């Protein structure tokens, strides 16, 4: 493990994915901020100690996006977290995930990675332009800022352009890593243009998560969660959070990633989501996009996991629910910049795809992802990849 400015910068790389959905589920769905921050921090730290290479911690995006868009209750979201945890435990302990992973062709993995990368970059641009669903809910580009524009130019657009330029210039710098520079720039903007009245309401102290804050799930909540949230999430979890993430870790870290297997990744997510259920937090997973973000901004050892994990634990321990107010200082546009560079890093993983049939599968999956969703793209990609293995088919 290393603890230096590159690892620190790399630890911040995935905030563009982690924070918007996390904040949305806490604010809109009423999940526990204290429990969420505790579990995120512990997940980062324990995963770093076990895997010995950087691993990402992310919200389950299908569940998060749908729950936010429809305003589902905390009980329904917690029910989905429990069901996902049980499912992952089952396929992890039985070894089924290893068999499933071995049947997924490499071109499908690359299709998942490119599709996810494009989604991240698209969301990053939306954050900068102020057109994401979360921003449109409040009808403002920077929901937690009192200043929305400088002259006739939107503040988010100015910050996004400046953040992009700073990141591009410093992306390979070891003296001043891009991740540190762009986050620092965002915090300065938050202090200058943010709603400072919020900060006066913060009451630091010692805070601990409450056990089962929403009680045990009811049958009705479990039924809704299963069909509306869990079933659509499963293909994306297997394709992106397990298979694509584990394969990308091998590409980046080679023999150092020997503990990163389909089984261990699945069980670690099962444990984390189980803890989230107990403390009223959000459902958590790994992700290829998050790993690409950490790696692109400088993370090379699991020290980055301990750095960001301790930050989230401190946020939970000393500020509890008020910790979310501190996160409001980061502009959405700066998070968008992180997403653009993370998505590009992940998408470039297809450079080893030289076969025409393989590239067709990849491009088909991207198309299905953009017109439907990644879960359908994953399933269609597998079917197409096996069909194209026949010598009777050609592209």
């Amino acid at each position: 493990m290393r603890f230096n400015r590159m690892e620190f910068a790399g630890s911040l790389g995935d905030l563009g994915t982690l924070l918007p959905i996390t904040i949305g589920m806490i604010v809109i769905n009423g999940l526990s901020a204290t429990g969420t921050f505790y579990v995120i921090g512990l997940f980062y730290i324990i995963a770093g100690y076990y895997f010995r290479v950087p691993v990402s911690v992310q919200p389950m995006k299908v569940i998060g996006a749908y729950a936010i868009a429809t305003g589902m209750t905390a009980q329904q979201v917690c029910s989905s977290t429990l069901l996902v945890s049980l499912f992952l435990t089952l396929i992890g302990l039985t070894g089924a995930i290893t068999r499933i992973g071995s049947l997924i062709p490499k071109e499908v993995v690359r299709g998942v990675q490119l599709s996810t990368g494009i989604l991240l970059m698209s969301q990053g641009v939306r954050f900068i332009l102020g057109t994401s669903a979360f921003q449109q809910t409040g009808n403002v580009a920077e929901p937690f800022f009192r200043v929305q524009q400088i002259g006739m130019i939107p503040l988010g657009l100015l910050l996004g352009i400046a953040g992009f330029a700073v990141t591009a210039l410093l992306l390979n710098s070891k003296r001043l890593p891009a991740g540190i520079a762009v986050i620092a720039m965002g915090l300065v903007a938050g202090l200058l243009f943010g709603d400072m009245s919020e900060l006066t309401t913060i009451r630091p102290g010692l805070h601990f998560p409450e056990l089962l804050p929403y009680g045990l799930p009811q049958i009705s909540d479990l039924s809704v969660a299963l069909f509306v949230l869990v079933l659509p999430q499963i293909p994306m979890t297997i394709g992106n959070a397990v298979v694509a993430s584990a394969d990308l870790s091998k590409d980046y870290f080679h023999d150092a990633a020997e503990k990163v297997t389909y089984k261990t990744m699945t069980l670690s997510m099962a444990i984390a989501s189980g803890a989230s259920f107990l403390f009223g937090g959000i459902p958590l997973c790994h992700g290829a996009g998050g790993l690409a973000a950490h790696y692109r901004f400088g993370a090379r050892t699991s020290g980055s996991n301990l750095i960001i994990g301790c930050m989230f634990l401190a946020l939970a321990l000393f500020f509890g629910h008020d910790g979310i107010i501190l996160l409001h200082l980061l502009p959405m546009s700066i998070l968008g910049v992180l997403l653009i560079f993370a998505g590009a890093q992940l998408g470039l993983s297809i450079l080893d795809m030289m076969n025409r049939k393989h590239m067709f599968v990849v491009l088909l999956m991207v198309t299905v992802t953009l017109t439907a969703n990644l879960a359908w793209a994953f399933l269609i990609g597998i079917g197409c990849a096996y069909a194209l293995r026949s010598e009777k088919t050609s592209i």
Side-chain angles (χ1 to χ4, degrees):
M1 293 184 188
R2 290 196 297 267
F3 300 93
N4 53 36
R5 56 179 176 269
M6 293 306 297
E7 296 296 328
F8 179 55
S11 75
L12 305 174
D14 194 31
L15 293 182
T17 303
L18 180 60
L19 291 185
I21 295 179
T22 299
I23 292 173
M25 296 184 79
I26 291 171
V27 173
I28 296 174
N29 303 114
L31 295 172
S32 168
T34 306
T36 295
F37 296 149
Y38 259 103
V39 177
I40 289 174
L42 288 173
F43 193 16
Y44 262 124
I45 292 171
I46 295 172
Y49 265 115
Y50 178 78
F51 291 112
R52 294 294 171 175
V53 293
V55 290
S56 66
V57 172
Q58 298 183 336
M60 290 191 174
K61 300 177 189 65
V62 174
I63 292 176
Y66 191 86
I68 292 170
T70 59
M72 298 187 77
T73 66
Q75 290 84 352
Q76 290 170 333
V77 177
C78 284
S79 296
S80 73
T81 307
L82 173 62
L83 291 173
V84 166
S85 176
L86 293 174
F87 173 76
L88 293 175
T89 300
L90 176 64
I91 64 172
L93 289 179
T94 61
I97 187 60
T98 303
R99 178 61 178 163
I100 293 171
S102 67
L103 295 174
I104 298 174
K106 184 175 182 179
E107 58 268 32
V108 174
V109 176
R110 291 292 184 256
V112 169
Q113 291 169 340
L114 179 60
S115 299
T116 304
I118 291 174
L119 289 177
L120 292 177
M121 296 182 74
S122 300
Q123 187 74 335
V125 172
R126 292 190 189 99
F127 282 175
I128 293 173
L129 297 179
T131 59
S132 73
F134 182 72
Q135 290 161 296
Q136 289 182 331
T137 299
N139 202 30
V140 287
E142 295 293 346
F144 309 111
F145 279 32
R146 54 182 173 78
V147 176
Q148 293 297 318
Q149 59 186 45
I150 303 295
M152 299 296 293
I153 305 176
L155 176 63
L157 183 60
L158 283 174
L159 290 174
I161 293 172
F164 187 93
V166 167
T167 304
L169 288 171
L170 299 176
L171 200 54
N172 295 317
S173 172
K174 295 182 179 179
R175 182 181 296 273
L176 179 58
I180 296 176
V182 74
I183 291 294
M185 188 179 80
L187 290 175
V188 170
L191 292 172
L192 291 175
F193 305 115
D195 185 1
M196 302 306 292
S197 63
E198 276 194 318
L199 296 179
T200 63
T201 65
I202 295 177
R203 297 292 181 267
L206 289 178
H207 302 267
F208 298 96
E210 182 183 351
L211 184 64
L212 292 174
Y214 309 108
L216 293 173
Q218 303 296 312
I219 296 298
S220 57
D221 293 329
L222 290 169
S223 300
V224 171
L226 175 63
F227 293 103
V228 176
L229 299 177
V230 177
L231 292 180
Q233 175 67 52
I234 286 173
M236 186 170 180
T237 297
I238 294 174
N240 181 50
V242 179
V243 178
S245 185
D247 287 4
L248 191 65
S249 185
K250 301 291 186 184
D251 290 341
Y252 285 161
F253 307 113
H254 310 293
D255 292 341
E258 62 178 343
K259 288 188 175 181
V260 182
T261 66
Y262 299 152
K263 181 176 182 178
T264 56
M265 294 286 276
T266 301
L267 291 176
S268 71
M269 292 189 295
I271 294 169
S273 291
S276 280
F277 165 71
L278 291 176
F279 297 128
I282 66 174
L284 295 171
C285 64
H286 299 299
L291 177 58
H294 289 306
Y295 186 86
R296 191 65 188 94
F297 284 95
R300 296 295 184 273
T301 78
S302 56
S304 62
N305 271 63
L306 271 66
I307 292 170
I308 190 68
C310 288
M311 291 170 63
F312 271 101
L313 272 183
L315 193 68
L317 180 62
F318 298 117
F319 297 99
H321 187 79
D322 289 344
I324 199 170
I325 296 174
L326 295 176
L327 298 179
H328 290 171
L329 292 174
L330 278 175
M332 297 291 291
S333 53
I334 293 299
L335 298 178
V337 171
L338 296 178
L339 282 179
I340 290 174
F341 282 91
Q345 172 71 20
L346 183 59
L348 290 172
S349 63
I350 69 160
L351 291 178
D352 62 353
M353 288 283 103
M354 305 303 294
N355 183 288
R356 285 177 60 87
K357 289 185 177 182
H358 293 173
M359 277 304 301
F360 178 80
V361 173
V362 171
L363 295 176
L364 176 64
M365 290 180 65
V366 170
T367 304
V368 175
T369 298
L370 296 179
T371 54
N373 57 59
L374 184 56
W376 275 112
F378 176 61
L379 297 174
I380 291 172
I382 292 175
C384 182
Y386 276 101
L388 290 177
R389 288 184 174 183
S390 170
E391 294 181 358
K392 296 180 180 180
T393 59
S394 62
I395 294 297

